[in-house]
């Protein structure tokens, strides 16, 4: 063996070891690099699978939601065109509509009812077949109901489908949370979703569920020139479990947990959960617009989904090169499967797009699409109808430009808004202008559009939008503008007519007051004439008797033989007769003096100093012949010494009116009773109370007591001016006040508070 052999063997071993080491090093480095590359590819694939699966679930939910929102909008438009729809027709329409809508638990017609019309509205609802219909709200205890409390407007459920589940009569105005979305829909004129809430059932056997309502405003069909008003709301109540049923099944099949949070307004707890109640770091989040609200949809991969992306593939790469082929084949298989699933999802989106187009057509909105590269415009049949075209005889060609159909006065405004949007300054463009109609001239339209495709430089490639006819609204706005322009002139004219009417009314009232005063004076004249007849008749009889006795005595003197006893009897007869005549004449003089004072006061309204008890006694004395025939008693309690510097005429008329008013209204015919007149001095004022124990007055009559021409006995002796005159004389002439306290069956007390010294004329 040559001596150099061991060296070669060592070198071979060394080279083999070095080759093995190099192979191990290269293999290890290559395996590590392959493991890293495969691991990165698997992580990317996992994210793609997760995003694709999440998008399928979100698309499924948004499709169902879009159909539901558009269905509620369409139902609201249907109610606008059929505002006299009956209960049976509503139920049939709702049942047909709900067949293709997941989650639509209730469809309700909620009219706006002012409180003044609430009773009439309940009666009309019962006439429509809703027996025992009442407008209610939840009571203080669970499962209890009570009549709706008074508020300016009620929003009760009139029709509801299905009726056995709908809370008919529930006044939604009691809950500000539920009314928030309705008021927003009323302000914006579009469907608005409410926050989530526990759905209220009238049936206690139904388990409560979480849901929300989509509310569409319903407008009145006004006449031309009138602005349509919101007359109620069409609300669809959506159960979250039913709405998410299809999306939840798809998520479960794709091994994803589904969690939904409200963003506007934000909610800490999820409003819907399918699977785990917590979202991990791998959750896919999507924001979804829900009729004006924003929800955050999170999709958390389940352990089975994560296990579906086998991490051992990288280990297989370390073990053998064939693992790479297997990994590539598996990746290709997964890619092909994902492609098929995406194609199926795209097909479903096309079908849903066609369905949405049908809904758009049903709402009367015209759509258009314009490609800048090809200069091709595509419009819907409704767009053509708004412009007065027939799709069979006209379509916009490559040379068509929107300015051809725009009113010349509106071109500048439309162009400015459109240019700003095309340059990227606004998110969308929206404008109102006059569009050419083929046969009817110009028609007002509202159009809204948005660029949906741009190139890398920002140049627009495609823009889409909608157009709706707004002639009725523009006519209403023009009418309102015209009314506003003439409002000031009409207000001045009506104010002038009102002032003339008020002056005439004051003149009539003053004339009626003077007539009432003359009537009172005539009554006193009749009373005094009746009272004077007795003493004057007695005095006449006495003087006649004295004359006859004197003649007889004269005849006896002439005959002679007059005895002393006859002379004595003649003297006694003359004395008795003269005393009787004197007493009756003094009574007549006293009556005439009192009447002359009262009549002078009533006629002149002259101011003078007087004693209160004397004036009241004079008034009562003039009324005594009339009052003594009544079964009621008049009691006076007015102390002497209450001196007043005032107007005895108006004070007497106040007393006469209050006495007559008490005898006329306080007592039934033939009913005994008392009228007590009291007075007491309180500092520099005097309080006079006219208190009776008669029938009293109801609160309604008490509220109207001082109104002119109000009387409970018009045509039976009452003129309706007595208390109005009392108030006027007490406050304006005498400078005081009058108040009334009365209860049914407890009598009435009229209190007149007067200053001892009346104010100077013109100071009250």
């Amino acid at each position: 063996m040559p001596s150099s052999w061991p060296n070669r063997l060592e070198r071979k071993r060394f080279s083999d070891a070095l080759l093995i080491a190099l192979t191990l090093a290269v293999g290890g480095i290559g395996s590590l690099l392959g493991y890293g590359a495969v691991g990165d590819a698997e992580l990317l694939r996992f994210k793609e699978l997760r995003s694709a699966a999440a998008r399928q679930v979100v698309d499924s939910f948004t499709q169902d939601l879009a159909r539901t929102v558009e269905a509620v909008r369409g139902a609201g438009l249907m109610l606008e065109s059929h505002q006299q729809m009956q209960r049976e027709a509503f139920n049939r329409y709702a049942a047909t509509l709900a067949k293709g809508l997941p989650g639509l638990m209730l469809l309700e017609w909620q009219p706006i009812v002012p409180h003044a019309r609430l009773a009439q509205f309940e009666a009309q609802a019962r006439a429509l077949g809703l027996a025992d219909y009442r407008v209610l709200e939840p009571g203080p205890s669970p499962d209890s109901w009570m009549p709706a409390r008074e508020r300016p407007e009620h929003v009760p459920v009139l029709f509801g489908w299905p009726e056995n589940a709908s809370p008919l009569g529930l006044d939604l105005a009691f809950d500000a949370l539920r009314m928030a979305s309705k008021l927003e829909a009323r302000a914006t004129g579009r469907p608005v979703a409410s926050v989530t809430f526990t759905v209220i059932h009238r049936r206690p056997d139904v388990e409560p569920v979480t849901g929300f309502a989509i509310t569409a405003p319903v407008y009145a069909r006004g006449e031309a020139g009138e602005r349509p008003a919101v007359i109620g709301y069409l609300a669809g109540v959506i159960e979250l479990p039913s709405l998410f049923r299809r999306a939840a099944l798809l998520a479960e099949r794709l091994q994803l947990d589904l969690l939904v949070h409200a963003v506007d307004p934000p909610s800490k707890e999820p409003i819907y959960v399918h699977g785990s109640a917590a979202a991990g770091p791998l959750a896919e989040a999507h924001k979804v617009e829900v009729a004006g609200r924003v929800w955050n949809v999170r999709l958390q991969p389940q352990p089975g989904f994560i296990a579906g992306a086998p991490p051992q593939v990288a280990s297989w790469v370390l073990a053998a090169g064939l693992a790479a082929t297997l990994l590539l084949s598996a990746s290709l298989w997964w890619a092909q499967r994902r492609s098929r699933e995406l194609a199926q999802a795209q097909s479903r989106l096309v079908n849903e797009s066609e369905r949405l187009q049908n809904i758009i057509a049903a709402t009367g909105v015209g759509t258009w699409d314009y490609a800048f590269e090809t200069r091709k415009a595509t419009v819907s049949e409704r767009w053509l109808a708004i412009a007065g075209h027939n799709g069979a005889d006209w379509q916009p060609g490559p040379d068509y430009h929107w300015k051809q159909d725009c009113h010349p006065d509106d071109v500048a405004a439309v162009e400015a808004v459109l240019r700003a949007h095309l340059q990227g300054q606004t998110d969308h463009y929206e404008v109102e202008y006059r569009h050419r109609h083929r046969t009817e001239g110009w028609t007002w339209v509202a159009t809204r559009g948005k660029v949906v495709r741009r190139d890398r430089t920002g140049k627009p490639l495609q823009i889409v939008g909608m157009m709706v006819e707004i002639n009725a609204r523009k006519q209403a706005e023009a009418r309102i503008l015209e009314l506003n322009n003439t409002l000031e002139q009409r207000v001045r004219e009506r104010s002038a007519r009102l002032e003339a009417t008020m002056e005439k009314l004051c003149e009539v009232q003053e004339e009626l007051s003077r007539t009432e005063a003359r009537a009172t004076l005539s009554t006193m004249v009749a009373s005094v004439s009746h009272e004077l007849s007795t003493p004057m008749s007695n005095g006449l009889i006495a003087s006649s008797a004295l004359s006859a006795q004197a003649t007889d005595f004269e005849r006896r003197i002439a005959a002679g033989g007059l005895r002393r006893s006859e002379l004595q009897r003649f003297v006694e007869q003359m004395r008795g007769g003269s005393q009787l005549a004197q007493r009756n004449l003094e009574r007549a003089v006293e009556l005439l003096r009192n009447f002359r004072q009262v009549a002078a006061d009533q006629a002149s309204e002259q101011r003078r100093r007087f004693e209160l008890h004397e004036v009241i006694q004079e008034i009562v004395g003039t009324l005594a012949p009339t009052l003594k025939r009544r079964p009621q008693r008049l009691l006076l309690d007015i102390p002497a010494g209450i001196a007043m510097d005032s107007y005895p005429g108006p004070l007497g008329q106040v007393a006469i009116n209050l006495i007559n008013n008490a005898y006329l209204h306080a007592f039934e015919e033939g009913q005994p009773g008392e009228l007590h007149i009291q007075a007491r001095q309180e500092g520099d004022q005097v309080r006079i109370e006219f208190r009776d124990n008669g029938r009293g007055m109801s609160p309604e009559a008490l509220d109207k007591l001082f109104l002119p021409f109000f009387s409970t006995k018009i045509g039976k002796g009452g003129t309706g001016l007595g208390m109005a005159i009392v108030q006027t004389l007490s406050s304006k002439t005498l400078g005081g006040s009058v108040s009334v306290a009365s209860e049914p069956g407890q009598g009435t007390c009229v209190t007149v508070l007067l200053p001892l010294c009346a104010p100077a004329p013109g100071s009250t």
Side-chain angles (χ1 to χ4, degrees):
M1 178 179 295
S3 58
S4 60
W5 178 252
N7 294 331
R8 288 196 301 269
L9 182 59
E10 290 294 328
R11 287 195 299 269
K12 180 62 174 175
R13 289 178 179 174
F14 178 75
S15 61
D16 289 342
L18 183 60
L19 180 60
I20 292 173
L22 182 59
T23 302
L24 290 174
V26 172
I29 293 173
S31 298
L32 289 174
L33 292 175
Y35 179 84
V38 171
D40 292 341
E42 283 299 310
L43 180 60
L44 179 61
R45 183 182 61 83
F46 173 77
K47 291 181 179 179
E48 292 176 351
L49 291 174
R50 180 191 61 186
S51 298
R55 176 52 58 189
Q56 292 182 53
V57 175
V58 172
D59 288 346
S60 173
F61 160 68
T62 54
Q63 291 165 12
D64 292 340
L65 179 63
R67 291 166 52 205
T68 304
V69 172
E70 291 303 324
V72 172
R73 187 200 301 270
L77 294 174
M78 181 276 299
L79 272 177
E80 287 184 17
S81 60
H82 298 80
Q83 293 184 7
Q84 301 300 323
M85 176 174 285
Q86 298 299 313
R87 165 190 171 198
E88 294 77 7
F90 179 89
N91 288 337
R92 286 196 302 269
Y93 174 82
T96 303
L97 187 66
K99 287 181 180 178
L101 296 176
L104 183 59
M105 183 191 86
L106 295 174
L107 192 66
E108 298 175 342
W109 167 225
Q110 305 162 353
I112 298 174
V113 181
H115 183 74
R117 292 188 59 251
L118 187 59
Q120 179 184 357
F121 171 78
E122 291 176 336
Q124 291 174 347
R126 290 191 286 270
L128 292 175
L130 299 174
D132 300 326
Y133 182 90
R134 294 185 65 195
V135 178
L136 306 171
E137 64 182 58
S141 60
D143 300 330
S144 66
W145 300 85
M146 67 179 186
R149 289 172 290 184
E150 180 175 352
R151 48 181 61 91
E153 288 184 348
H154 302 271
V155 186
V157 178
L158 177 58
F159 296 153
W161 177 90
E163 285 190 347
N164 60 352
S166 179
L168 298 182
L170 174 63
D171 184 5
L172 300 175
F174 84 96
D175 189 351
L177 188 65
R178 285 179 170 83
M179 286 301 298
S181 61
K182 301 183 187 301
L183 296 178
E184 184 177 350
R186 186 175 186 176
T188 61
R190 58 179 176 82
V192 174
S194 70
V195 297
T196 56
F197 55 84
T198 301
V199 179
I200 296 178
H201 294 277
R202 292 287 297 272
R203 293 170 49 193
D205 58 333
V206 178
E207 290 292 331
V209 295
T210 301
F212 71 104
I214 298 177
T215 301
V218 178
Y219 293 90
R221 290 182 299 171
E223 298 294 335
E226 293 182 355
R227 188 173 186 177
V230 175
I231 60 173
Y233 308 97
L234 193 285
V237 180
I238 315 299
E239 287 185 336
L240 289 181
S242 300
L243 178 63
F244 283 102
R245 181 178 293 115
R246 193 158 69 99
L249 292 176
L250 181 59
E252 186 174 349
R253 182 167 62 84
L254 296 175
Q255 297 181 319
L256 297 172
D257 292 335
L258 177 60
L259 297 91
V260 182
H261 287 78
V263 177
D264 180 21
S267 62
K268 295 182 179 179
E269 298 297 328
I271 62 175
Y272 177 78
V273 177
H274 183 79
S276 175
L282 298 179
E284 185 88 5
H286 300 267
K287 291 189 181 297
V288 178
E289 196 271 337
V290 185
R293 306 293 178 195
V294 180
W295 290 355
N296 196 3
V297 180
R298 294 181 178 272
L299 293 159
Q300 171 69 29
Q302 298 177 354
F305 184 94
I306 300 174
Q312 65 271 23
V313 175
S315 301
W316 294 348
V317 172
L318 293 173
L322 295 177
T325 304
L326 181 61
L327 177 61
L328 181 60
S329 301
S331 299
L332 180 61
W333 180 78
W334 279 102
Q336 291 174 342
R337 179 180 176 182
R338 185 167 64 88
S339 178
R340 288 193 299 270
E341 291 175 348
L342 290 176
Q344 293 174 357
Q346 185 176 5
S347 177
R348 288 194 296 269
L349 286 176
V350 170
N351 294 335
E352 291 301 327
S353 178
E354 293 177 355
R355 191 171 301 170
L356 288 176
Q357 289 295 332
N358 294 333
I359 294 175
I360 290 174
T363 59
V365 175
T367 60
W368 51 266
D369 185 330
Y370 182 75
F372 289 90
E373 293 176 314
T374 62
R375 299 174 61 187
K376 181 181 179 181
T378 304
V379 297
S380 67
E381 293 183 2
R382 178 56 184 163
W383 189 97
L384 294 171
I386 293 174
H389 293 292
N390 187 339
D393 58 17
W394 187 86
Q395 285 289 336
D399 296 331
Y400 174 77
H401 196 276
W402 62 267
K403 292 183 180 180
Q404 300 172 10
D405 287 334
C406 183
H407 194 282
D409 295 342
D410 299 334
V411 169
V414 177
E415 192 171 23
V417 176
L418 180 59
R419 184 186 305 111
H421 177 60
L422 295 179
Q423 294 175 355
Q425 300 175 8
T426 58
D427 179 65
H428 65 277
Y429 94 93
E430 184 172 1
V431 68
E432 297 177 357
Y433 69 95
R434 286 161 287 185
H435 191 90
R436 186 187 306 279
H437 192 280
R438 189 180 66 172
T439 59
E440 299 178 3
W442 300 99
T443 182
W444 276 100
V445 298
T447 184
R448 178 187 176 101
K450 183 174 183 178
V451 174
V452 295
R453 286 195 306 118
R454 296 178 184 268
D455 61 12
R456 294 182 179 179
T457 64
K459 181 180 178 181
L461 300 177
Q462 184 182 12
I463 185 171
V464 298
M466 52 75 71
M467 183 172 73
V468 62
E469 181 182 355
I470 58 171
N471 268 335
R473 178 164 66 81
K474 283 296 183 179
Q475 292 172 359
E477 291 176 355
R479 177 60 179 164
I480 292 174
L481 182 61
E482 180 184 356
L483 291 175
N484 289 338
N485 292 335
T486 60
L487 178 60
E488 185 175 352
Q489 178 63 28
R490 288 186 285 113
V491 169
R492 286 197 298 267
E493 293 175 356
R494 293 184 180 179
S495 298
R497 290 197 297 268
L498 181 60
E499 291 177 359
T501 303
M502 290 299 296
E503 292 177 359
K504 183 64 176 177
L505 182 60
C506 291
E507 293 176 1
V508 172
Q509 187 172 357
E510 292 178 359
E511 180 62 26
L512 288 174
S513 299
R514 290 191 292 269
T515 302
E516 182 78 7
R518 288 194 295 269
T520 302
L521 190 59
S522 298
T523 301
M524 290 190 299
V525 169
S527 299
V528 171
S529 298
H530 181 273
E531 187 70 11
L532 280 174
S533 64
T534 300
M536 294 298 291
S537 297
N538 292 337
L540 181 60
I541 293 172
S543 63
S544 297
L546 288 175
S547 177
Q549 290 173 356
T551 301
D552 183 66
F553 184 74
E554 188 177 20
R555 181 180 53 82
R556 290 183 180 182
I557 292 176
L562 182 65
R563 294 191 297 273
R564 183 179 180 86
S565 60
E566 291 177 345
L567 178 59
Q568 185 66 32
R569 186 169 59 252
F570 172 72
V571 171
E572 291 176 356
Q573 290 175 346
M574 292 297 292
R575 183 183 296 111
S578 61
Q579 290 177 350
L580 177 61
Q582 182 179 1
R583 286 196 304 271
N584 281 278
L585 290 175
E586 289 175 350
R587 173 60 179 162
V589 170
E590 180 66 20
L591 287 173
L592 287 174
R593 185 185 65 81
N594 291 341
F595 172 70
R596 185 169 55 253
Q597 183 62 54
V598 172
D601 291 338
Q602 292 291 316
S604 64
E605 297 188 0
Q606 185 177 6
R607 179 171 182 161
R608 64 182 178 85
R609 296 185 61 83
F610 59 88
E611 288 284 337
L612 178 62
H613 76 282
E614 294 179 356
V615 170
I616 299 300
Q617 285 178 348
E618 290 172 355
I619 294 298
V620 172
T622 58
L623 296 177
T626 302
L627 300 181
K628 69 182 181 181
R629 295 193 297 269
R630 303 292 295 270
Q632 298 84 20
R633 293 194 306 160
L634 178 61
L635 304 177
L636 291 179
D637 183 11
I638 302 177
I642 302 179
M644 299 184 66
D645 182 3
S646 187
Y647 301 91
L651 176 59
Q653 189 169 353
V654 168
I656 291 171
N657 284 351
L658 291 178
I659 293 172
N660 289 336
N661 198 63
Y663 274 80
L664 179 62
H665 296 280
F667 306 102
E668 297 289 349
E669 187 68 26
Q671 175 188 354
E674 291 183 354
L675 173 61
H676 197 182
I677 304 177
Q678 292 179 298
R680 63 178 180 274
Q681 184 173 343
E682 297 178 353
D684 58 352
Q685 292 181 317
V686 60
R687 181 183 298 273
I688 309 173
E689 294 182 350
F690 297 78
R691 185 186 304 274
D692 65 68
N693 60 352
R695 74 181 75 183
M697 285 183 285
S698 65
E700 294 77 9
L702 195 60
D703 290 339
K704 302 177 182 179
L705 184 61
F706 294 107
L707 294 178
F709 307 110
F710 170 76
S711 175
T712 58
K713 290 193 175 183
I714 291 292
K716 300 180 180 179
T719 65
L721 289 173
M723 294 306 295
I725 292 174
V726 166
Q727 186 182 46
T728 301
L729 293 177
S730 299
S731 59
K732 295 183 178 295
T733 304
L734 301 175
S737 63
V738 59
S739 60
V740 182
S742 181
E743 293 183 7
Q746 302 298 319
T748 301
C749 179
V750 181
T751 301
V752 181
L753 189 63
L754 302 176
L756 295 177
C757 182
S763 62
T764 57

